[in-house]
Amino acid sequence: MSEQPADTHPTRPHPTGPDPIGTDAYLTVDAVWNGHRFLGPTTFRSDGERLHPVDDIPSRAPHHHLGGTLFPRLTDHHTHVGLTDQHAVFAGGITHAIDLGWVPAVAAGWLADDLTRPAVAIVGSLITCEGGYPVNAGWGPPGSSTEVGGEREARLAVRANIMMGASRIKVTLNTEAGETVDDHVLHSIVAESHAQGVPVTVHVQGDGQTARAVRAGADQLAHAPFTERVDDELIAECVRRGIGWVSTLDIHGWGDPTEQHGIASENLGRFARAGGLVLYGTDLGNGPLAVGVNERELRGMLDAGVESDALIRSIAGPRRPDDHVMPTVGPRLAWLPAPPPAEPDALPGWLATARGLTARALTRAAADGTLSADAPTASPLPSTPEDHA
């Protein structure tokens, strides 16, 4: 597993004249995602921290027609923050990241609201059996896995992770790497997690492990199953229970699809067509994956049979129950230089142009003229500390 180099972002001087990040700066974009669909041209008032949709612009107020598309969030649902450069991830368009396993004391530090990187949610340590995956896999440091030998130890492991800030729990079922927790322990992990109000994500690998996770009451699979064909009845049960599947297709070959890529893609396609909840996730940190929004991952999902609307929801997420309400955006956001494409086949490449910004940075760049829909390769991320305040 290799760490990707960080992008560099030159510091720009502050503009002269009135502060463009004051409470009366206005921006207009071509489109904004409200959690369910794209809304057309929208004007926002910037208060320096968030963008608020407005109908009218006061006379003489600074107004910048930025164009492009705004997303309140773009989420990678499977990352390993300890193996990645999160500043580069944010610059590449990912505003929110789910860390699926690291040393709890270290991961807890990522919960700090550092606006130079994505907002992070954590699972803490991965829960496994004694000597189980990924204890000896080599990619996680000591303490990134918790080995449990019985139901009481499993419950204590769940509580310990939650006390360190975990908002979900992850357990591994990988029979290809050796032993796993038994069904009694697995059920105890799920029951304790649910009693504490947090969902459970399961790594399934090996024959029959998807069924075990479903029977135990798992809320999410960390990967589209890639070592076995999941039968239609089990897929239907996943859909009925609302179990989400995180895609992670691109780890199977990194652009040169393997047999496991084919298995995962076929399973994911049938799951999506059955109405299952598909979540964009890359397992970032696992090999040479794109930093930021991964075009290959999105392309693989589209090719597998994930419809265009579901593809966007998998990364941008449902946000509001009201389909007509324009969202308040910030402090993090993603901006794309162009409006949404008409053709579904263009979505992966378009989404990969996303840039992670704060509302403050976007407002400043719009005022400076350093962020333009005509300059998609420009680097919009300021490095001045006040731009991340």
Side-chain angles (χ1 to χ4, degrees):
M1 298 183 183
S2 58
E3 183 171 323
Q4 303 295 324
D7 293 341
T8 57
H9 304 282
T11 301
R12 295 194 300 271
H14 289 281
T16 59
D19 186 355
I21 59 173
T23 57
D24 291 322
Y26 292 80
L27 307 174
T28 299
V29 295
D30 295 325
V32 59
W33 175 257
N34 78 338
H36 298 277
R37 66 186 183 93
F38 289 108
L39 305 176
T42 304
T43 299
F44 292 89
R45 177 181 64 84
S46 173
D47 65 9
E49 182 179 7
R50 288 183 169 81
L51 305 179
H52 306 272
V54 296
D55 294 323
D56 301 308
I57 304 171
S59 61
R60 299 190 179 184
H63 177 222
H64 312 286
H65 187 89
L66 182 61
T69 303
L70 274 186
F71 283 94
R73 62 172 56 208
L74 293 177
T75 302
D76 190 331
H77 293 87
H78 190 151
T79 70
H80 293 282
V81 173
L83 298 171
T84 58
D85 179 345
Q86 285 299 294
H87 302 287
V89 173
F90 183 49
I94 294 298
T95 65
H96 292 70
I98 314 300
D99 181 78
L100 288 188
W102 205 249
V103 181
V106 176
W110 301 329
L111 299 176
D113 196 23
D114 178 354
L115 294 179
T116 67
R117 57 164 176 73
V120 177
I122 66 172
V123 301
S125 61
L126 299 91
I127 301 178
T128 186
C129 69
E130 295 178 359
Y133 178 84
V135 173
N136 298 311
W139 60 262
S144 57
S145 296
T146 298
E147 303 169 68
V148 299
E151 295 179 59
R152 182 176 181 276
E153 288 184 4
R155 291 192 294 270
L156 291 174
V158 169
R159 295 171 198 166
N161 277 324
I162 293 173
M163 289 178 66
M164 293 300 294
S167 56
R168 61 210 70 202
I169 294 297
K170 183 177 178 183
V171 59
T172 65
L173 301 178
N174 182 354
T175 56
E176 292 193 341
E179 296 296 321
T180 73
V181 295
D182 64 28
D183 284 343
H184 293 293
V185 172
L186 177 60
H187 281 262
S188 292
I189 292 168
V190 174
E192 182 63 31
S193 300
H194 289 173
Q196 299 287 340
V198 301
V200 177
T201 297
V202 183
H203 173 114
V204 294
Q205 186 172 348
D207 290 344
Q209 301 314 297
T210 303
R212 288 185 65 202
V214 173
R215 287 196 303 268
D219 302 283
Q220 184 182 95
L221 301 185
H223 304 273
F226 57 89
T227 57
E228 61 176 343
R229 185 183 188 276
V230 180
D231 64 45
D232 291 341
E233 184 177 349
L234 186 55
I235 282 179
E237 184 66 11
C238 287
V239 175
R240 187 185 71 80
R241 295 189 181 207
I243 298 173
W245 288 18
V246 183
S247 56
T248 68
L249 298 177
D250 193 31
I251 59 170
H252 307 301
W254 305 297
D256 184 14
T258 63
E259 179 182 358
Q260 291 182 333
H261 187 287
I263 295 170
S265 178
E266 197 272 339
N267 282 331
L268 187 68
R270 287 187 296 115
F271 178 68
R273 288 189 291 273
L277 174 62
V278 177
L279 300 169
Y280 167 90
T282 63
D283 198 4
L284 189 59
N286 182 355
L289 296 167
V291 176
V293 177
N294 185 331
E295 181 177 356
R296 284 198 312 250
E297 184 68 39
L298 293 162
R299 173 69 58 193
M301 295 167 69
L302 198 64
D303 290 347
V306 178
E307 296 290 339
S308 57
D309 287 348
L311 185 75
I312 297 170
R313 286 195 299 270
S314 77
I315 186 170
R319 186 175 176 87
R320 304 186 64 112
D322 188 334
D323 192 48
H324 303 288
V325 174
M326 297 182 185
T328 294
V329 180
R332 295 174 183 82
L333 56 86
W335 180 79
L336 287 71
E343 295 299 322
D345 190 61
L347 282 173
W350 174 72
L351 284 165
T353 67
R355 314 171 193 180
L357 292 156
T358 62
R360 176 184 290 263
L362 184 72
T363 306
R364 183 183 297 282
D368 289 350
T370 53
L371 190 62
S372 167
D374 297 324
T377 59
S379 175
L381 185 65
S383 58
T384 52
E386 55 269 32
D387 283 338
H388 305 297

